[in-house]
Amino acid sequence: MMVSFFDQFASPSFLGIPLIAIAIALPWVLFPTPPSRWVNNRLITVQTWFINRFTNQLMLPLNAGGHKWALLLASLMVFLITINMLGLLPYTFTPTTQLSLNMGLAVPLWLATVIIGMRNQPTVALGHLLPEGTPIPLIPVLIIIETISLFIRPLALGVRLTANLTAGHLLIQLIATAVFVLLPMMPTVAILTAAVLFLLTLLEVAVAMIQAYVFVLLLSLYLQENV
């Protein structure tokens, strides 16, 4: 039973071919393409309004140099939200429960922000490793600590997204299993448990959106330090 709980996180395959590429490419197929005419339908209007509001909020603390990342960060946000939401449907696979995928997104983007800071303003970028007014005996220790914290950032990005989604999926499966087991024996308790399961599913929808937003928000904060 314990093994079957974690089977949902195994990458699906068909005839030995991993299907994770299809799961990653599916969100871009579902989004409608804006037409060339002035009047759009309601779905495209809501989609455009959401992306514009999110981009404006994200780019607010950044200067003009950081606005070049608007398209990349907005696309990443929509991509993560769609994948997380599709993973809540029955008989689906959530690619963002794989630490390898999340690290593959976090490490290159974090490294790009560090490289931009080192290239454009190396003094300011290196200055983050040593807070102002540090006593001289503590300088070597603080430099080591700040360097370690700098390299932990992409790991924290990937692990945070993976852990939150994995814990939510496991909890949903555990409570759903309890409902099926209790239904023949204690129907009243099973109904109450099903109500808890419904509320937990609503919470997981919010977590799926919030974790995608937090992932992109932290990337924008890292970018703000280096532009």
Side-chain angles (χ1 to χ4, degrees):
M1 178 65 70
M2 293 304 296
V3 177
S4 64
F5 284 155
F6 292 92
D7 284 346
Q8 60 177 318
F9 304 115
S11 180
S13 60
F14 181 71
L15 298 177
I17 302 174
L19 301 180
I20 187 171
I22 299 178
I24 294 174
L26 185 61
W28 304 117
V29 180
L30 298 178
F31 276 91
T33 303
S36 57
R37 60 179 182 270
W38 284 97
V39 181
N40 296 323
N41 57 37
R42 293 182 178 88
L43 179 60
I44 296 181
T45 302
V46 172
Q47 173 185 324
T48 306
W49 175 85
F50 169 76
I51 294 176
N52 288 339
R53 293 290 299 173
F54 166 74
T55 307
N56 291 336
Q57 186 70 25
L58 199 63
M59 296 293 111
L60 194 60
L62 299 178
N63 56 23
H67 292 176
K68 300 175 184 178
W69 286 60
L71 179 60
L72 175 63
L73 294 179
S75 302
L76 180 62
M77 170 75 173
V78 173
F79 176 69
L80 290 177
I81 285 181
T82 310
I83 282 185
N84 294 346
M85 297 290 286
L86 289 177
L88 294 174
L89 297 176
Y91 303 103
T92 56
F93 170 67
T94 311
T96 44
T97 56
Q98 305 293 314
L99 183 60
S100 57
L101 174 65
N102 296 332
M103 293 301 294
L105 293 174
V107 172
L109 294 173
W110 164 82
L111 188 59
T113 62
V114 174
I115 293 175
I116 287 176
M118 292 294 185
R119 186 188 65 179
N120 294 341
Q121 42 185 11
T123 305
V124 177
L126 293 175
H128 292 301
L129 300 179
L130 185 63
E132 187 177 357
T134 304
I136 294 178
L138 295 179
I139 288 178
V141 178
L142 280 179
I143 290 178
I144 295 174
I145 293 175
E146 291 295 331
T147 304
I148 293 175
S149 67
L150 177 66
F151 284 96
I152 283 179
R153 285 179 175 182
L155 182 63
L157 279 177
V159 170
R160 180 186 294 107
L161 183 59
T162 303
N164 280 282
L165 295 179
T166 301
H169 284 61
L170 279 176
L171 196 56
I172 287 177
Q173 186 170 1
L174 285 170
I175 296 180
T177 304
V179 171
F180 281 104
V181 171
L182 293 173
L183 191 58
M185 300 181 294
M186 293 179 286
T188 305
V189 178
I191 292 175
L192 293 176
T193 308
V196 174
L197 178 62
F198 175 74
L199 296 177
L200 179 63
T201 304
L202 295 181
L203 178 63
E204 280 303 307
V205 171
V207 169
M209 299 189 336
I210 291 172
Q211 288 304 316
Y213 176 73
V214 169
F215 188 92
V216 179
L217 179 63
L218 290 177
L219 278 176
S220 69
L221 294 178
Y222 300 157
L223 180 65
Q224 182 182 357
E225 295 180 357
N226 294 284
V227 295

